[in-house]
Amino acid sequence: MWNLIGAGAWVLLLIYLVFVVMNVRSRHLKMVVMNQPRLRVVALDVLESLVFVAALYGMAWVTWLRPIDYTSSTMVRVNYEYHPLILQSDGEKAYYATVASGNGKQPVRYFTYWTANTRNKTNSRQADISSGSQPLSVRASAYPWKNKQLTKLDATTEKAFVATMTAHYRKTFLNGLGMHVGHLAERFDLIRIPNDTMIKVLPLNAEN
């Protein structure tokens, strides 16, 4: 329901565009027929066009360009899930996660990890692996986390867990204007492992 605000705004903007085009055409015809001052007609054309451009930019910003503030409780609702990682083995190596490099055309890594007999796949745009002394990796630190909970999990799972943060847009006027209410704003997986030896790195284009 809230997203109808944005849909209605886009419809009004389209109607205004049609109005501007017809109004400009009508004024120019009158200018020729009635020999009206050209400066006044052009000034009105520019004014109406500027209003449309400003409104278009405003709608584009709130729909596509508006940055997400994950610390704003009025903009997004943030939830967390935590699951222990399940150790895997290929007969030669024990590991908690595999890392593949895709097709080599883009610098994206594909991660696979296991939780409670479930195989999970994600990529480096939406996840990161932490294997240092601190639970958070550099990339993951850009998002809000419950640091005390991560520290506790470090101790109880022997540094082998995945923490998933999801953020959904709340019911606000701006979110409705951008037609985002209820939609997923971001998901990020923090894959925590004891050290780098617990990662299985697959060669380029290898099947995972």
Side-chain angles (χ1 to χ4, degrees):
M1 193 69 180
W2 282 83
N3 293 327
L4 291 178
I5 297 174
W10 279 108
V11 171
L12 289 175
L13 188 60
L14 181 60
I15 292 174
Y16 180 70
L17 175 61
V18 174
F19 165 78
V20 170
V21 172
M22 295 180 65
N23 207 22
V24 167
R25 182 174 179 274
S26 175
R27 278 199 304 271
H28 280 257
L29 287 175
K30 287 183 179 180
M31 180 184 68
V32 173
V33 173
M34 303 178 64
N35 196 27
Q36 293 179 341
R38 182 179 179 83
L39 182 61
R40 180 175 180 276
V41 173
V42 172
L44 287 174
D45 293 345
V46 172
L47 180 61
E48 289 182 354
S49 299
L50 286 176
V51 170
F52 173 77
V53 170
L56 179 62
Y57 176 78
M59 287 301 300
W61 179 82
V62 79
T63 304
W64 298 296
L65 305 177
R66 184 185 175 205
I68 304 170
D69 183 359
Y70 299 103
T71 63
S72 172
S73 59
T74 59
M75 184 176 186
V76 293
R77 181 183 70 257
V78 180
N79 295 315
Y80 303 93
E81 290 185 8
Y82 308 97
H83 300 282
L85 292 178
I86 305 300
L87 190 65
Q88 303 294 308
S89 176
D90 59 6
E92 297 180 358
K93 178 182 177 64
Y95 54 90
Y96 284 111
T98 64
V99 180
S101 298
N103 56 19
K105 296 178 181 179
Q106 294 180 339
V108 179
R109 300 294 180 265
Y110 298 92
F111 305 138
T112 302
Y113 61 88
W114 291 259
T115 58
N117 298 321
T118 300
R119 187 170 182 259
N120 305 275
K121 298 187 72 174
T122 184
N123 59 67
S124 55
R125 294 191 183 98
Q126 297 176 306
D128 198 19
I129 292 179
S130 170
S131 59
S133 59
Q134 301 292 328
L136 284 180
S137 66
V138 173
R139 285 195 58 235
S141 64
Y143 300 97
W145 297 93
K146 295 182 178 179
N147 295 320
K148 289 184 178 179
Q149 180 66 20
L150 296 180
T151 301
K152 180 180 178 181
L153 286 168
D154 250 12
T156 58
T157 66
E158 298 182 351
K159 300 181 180 180
F161 65 89
V162 59
T164 300
M165 183 216 74
T166 55
H168 289 83
Y169 287 99
R170 288 188 178 276
K171 296 178 181 179
T172 66
F173 176 78
L174 279 180
N175 287 342
L177 193 61
M179 295 184 293
H180 295 312
V181 171
H183 295 173
L184 180 67
E186 183 67 275
R187 175 195 167 111
F188 194 89
D189 289 344
L190 172 62
I191 305 169
R192 178 62 164 152
I193 60 174
N195 54 67
D196 290 341
T197 64
M198 307 303 290
I199 303 172
K200 181 179 178 180
V201 180
L202 302 178
L204 189 65
N205 291 326
E207 290 293 331
N208 190 357

